[in-house]
Amino acid sequence: MRMLKRHTSTALVYFLLIAIMGVILRFFAIFDIPITYKFIVHTHSHIALLGWVYTALTSLIYFAFLRSQPIKNKYRLIFWFTQITIIGMLVTFPFTGYALFSIIFSSLFLVASYWFVFFFFKYCPDALKKTGPYKFIKISLWYLVISSIGPWALGIIMNTAGSGSAWYRNAIYFFLHFQYNGWFIVALTGIFLYILEQRSFSLPKRVFNRFYNFLNAGVILTFFLSLLWMQPYWWIYLLALIGGVIQLIAFGILFRAVYSKALSVFKSMPSLFTFSVRIVIFLLFVKLIAQILGAFPVIAQTIFTNLDMIISYIHWVFLGIVSILLLAFLNYFKLLKLTRMQVYTYLLGFFLTEFLIFSRGLAAVLVTGPIPSIHLLISLASLILFIAIALMLATQVLSKD
């Protein structure tokens, strides 16, 4: 338990660092900062996905599925090798961007992730392999592996088609899609089902199979949303739309089953946990509706030509759905201590930044002119997020448990 609490602290350090970089990126529009903006963006995105989320999510998976096995020292070796690769990216990307050493460290991270996947499959107890949550964690790890095709392909694409080609952009979208919609959300769903099973609630087999099949079909088909920026053939739009509808149906199946039969289970859970889950359900519903709307040509072109709307959507998923669930699960398993004030402060910063960034993007679409002091307001909202995460990390470090 102590080991995993230290690993949670490490994940929170990364979360704080990306919050700091987020504030710096916001202040670029106000002050002349003597650093390369593009390099900080690269660092920010890599440490967000591979530092904060990966470290927190693999710690949760180890806690739920592997902690009963006598493999602590073997896991430590994987963990620290992974941290070396993340720190390597942290100290190279800000100064060089995509260059020799940053590419070496990011490639080594992919190797470390494969090592963890192999480790999980080898040492997960046979009893847990028969459960529903294991099926979700298993497929999510395969999505993690599949997502890595994108980064590996970038090297080939840069030496052939070039960084300005459609292939280059699609390789990045391929990686992001299967990270966010495959690895992150499917793994978090598996952890959620694990928590329910620990409370003696499991989905009926027929309902579970429908949810599992629909969700995975949705993950695959919604990748076509990432191709709509090219204004492709009509059938690509159709597949993207079908994927969005299927994903909505999938989570509808889950929520219906949970709402109708697991209310008594939720009543026995900590109130902060159930509050966080309700917030995530709202955020997820908005995401699912946005995916369906984004499959229509006019809306797709509006979004893909508007950087603020793209950033708003990515943050909605990353800072909203994924990060709030990670914090809630870590707190539920007592790997992290959260207070209501910290959660409320985080939500205030999150919703403010989302509202302001989306409003700036909407103003560009409607051609209403710039919103007064919008850059300063977004910067201040980002500071609120930083304060919330700093408080979480301080509580974790000062905790004596």
Side-chain angles (χ1 to χ4, degrees):
M1 195 75 163
R2 285 186 178 181
M3 177 189 75
L4 289 176
K5 284 186 177 181
R6 289 194 294 270
H7 294 180
T8 299
S9 297
T10 302
L12 281 174
V13 168
Y14 293 134
F15 202 14
L16 184 65
L17 287 173
I18 63 172
I20 293 170
M21 285 184 272
V23 172
I24 293 171
L25 290 170
R26 298 297 167 218
F27 276 109
F28 256 99
I30 303 173
F31 303 112
D32 184 19
I33 304 175
I35 50 179
T36 306
Y37 180 88
K38 183 171 68 174
F39 293 173
I40 300 301
V41 170
H42 292 329
T43 313
H44 179 71
S45 59
H46 279 77
I47 302 306
L49 274 60
L50 312 182
W52 155 237
V53 177
Y54 181 89
T55 302
L57 194 46
T58 51
S59 296
L60 283 168
I61 291 172
Y62 181 89
F63 178 88
F65 292 89
L66 299 173
R67 76 180 189 277
S68 63
Q69 301 292 82
I71 52 174
K72 186 180 292 186
N73 290 334
K74 293 178 182 178
Y75 175 69
R76 277 200 186 102
L77 185 61
I78 299 174
F79 178 83
W80 288 113
F81 176 73
T82 306
Q83 300 315 304
I84 289 170
T85 68
I86 296 170
I87 294 169
M89 288 184 277
L90 185 59
V91 298
T92 53
F93 270 114
F95 305 104
T96 66
Y98 278 103
L100 176 62
F101 289 106
S102 59
I103 291 172
I104 288 173
F105 282 117
S106 55
S107 299
L108 286 173
F109 174 87
L110 297 178
V111 174
S113 69
Y114 299 157
W115 189 5
F116 177 82
V117 172
F118 171 78
F119 179 82
F120 175 81
F121 290 149
K122 182 177 180 180
Y123 291 109
C124 185
D126 290 337
L128 286 175
K129 288 183 178 180
K130 298 174 183 178
T131 64
Y134 171 83
K135 287 189 68 175
F136 275 88
I137 299 301
K138 179 181 178 181
I139 193 64
S140 75
L141 289 171
W142 281 119
Y143 286 133
L144 169 63
V145 173
I146 290 169
S147 74
S148 69
I149 295 172
W152 290 126
L154 284 178
I156 300 171
I157 293 168
M158 289 180 71
N159 290 321
T160 53
S163 59
S165 68
W167 283 102
Y168 183 88
R169 188 170 174 179
N170 286 336
I172 293 174
Y173 284 154
F174 182 92
F175 170 73
L176 291 175
H177 174 77
F178 283 102
Q179 282 275 310
Y180 277 79
N181 294 286
W183 162 227
F184 295 167
I185 289 180
V186 176
L188 288 167
T189 302
I191 299 294
F192 178 68
L193 293 176
Y194 171 86
I195 291 172
L196 290 182
E197 288 201 357
Q198 294 300 300
R199 297 272 178 163
S200 302
F201 174 84
S202 59
L203 297 175
K205 186 175 181 180
R206 183 168 169 270
V207 174
F208 175 88
N209 288 335
R210 287 177 62 204
F211 172 53
Y212 180 83
N213 292 330
F214 271 79
L215 180 60
N216 285 291
V219 169
I220 294 167
L221 288 174
T222 51
F223 168 67
F224 290 103
L225 287 165
S226 302
L227 303 179
L228 300 186
W229 69 275
M230 298 189 300
Q231 296 181 295
Y233 294 112
W234 64 268
W235 56 269
I236 298 291
Y237 287 96
L238 179 60
L239 289 174
L241 177 61
I242 292 171
V245 171
I246 286 175
Q247 243 185 6
L248 180 63
I249 293 171
F251 280 106
I253 292 169
L254 174 64
F255 295 147
R256 181 182 178 186
V258 171
Y259 183 80
S260 62
K261 297 181 180 179
L263 286 180
S264 60
V265 175
F266 275 95
K267 288 178 181 178
S268 66
M269 290 180 173
S271 59
L272 189 57
F273 177 80
T274 55
F275 170 77
S276 300
V277 170
R278 289 190 182 99
I279 291 292
V280 169
I281 290 172
F282 163 72
L283 298 175
L284 180 60
F285 177 74
V286 173
K287 174 192 182 296
L288 295 171
I289 296 300
Q291 285 182 164
I292 293 173
L293 294 176
F296 292 92
V298 174
I299 298 176
Q301 283 307 114
T302 300
I303 292 170
F304 279 109
T305 56
N306 190 306
L307 184 60
D308 280 322
M309 288 193 173
I310 294 174
I311 292 173
S312 181
Y313 175 79
I314 290 173
H315 282 185
W316 188 267
V317 179
F318 173 77
L319 290 173
I321 297 168
V322 175
S323 292
I324 292 172
L325 269 186
L326 282 173
L327 293 169
F329 291 164
L330 289 167
N331 185 50
Y332 178 85
F333 290 127
K334 302 188 186 306
L335 299 175
L336 168 68
K337 280 190 173 182
L338 285 180
T339 66
R340 284 191 174 273
M341 182 194 72
Q342 291 166 359
V343 173
Y344 292 161
T345 305
Y346 180 89
L347 290 174
L348 174 64
F350 166 69
F351 281 116
L352 277 176
T353 53
E354 283 298 294
F355 172 75
L356 292 167
I357 293 172
F358 185 80
S359 296
R360 188 171 63 183
L362 189 61
V365 172
L366 300 177
V367 198
T368 58
I371 301 172
S373 304
I374 188 66
H375 300 309
L376 178 60
L377 291 173
I378 294 174
S379 300
L380 294 175
S382 299
L383 275 174
I384 297 174
L385 273 174
F386 163 75
I387 291 168
I389 298 166
L391 290 171
M392 294 175 194
L393 180 59
T395 302
Q396 181 77 353
V397 172
L398 296 175
S399 175
K400 295 180 181 179
D401 294 342

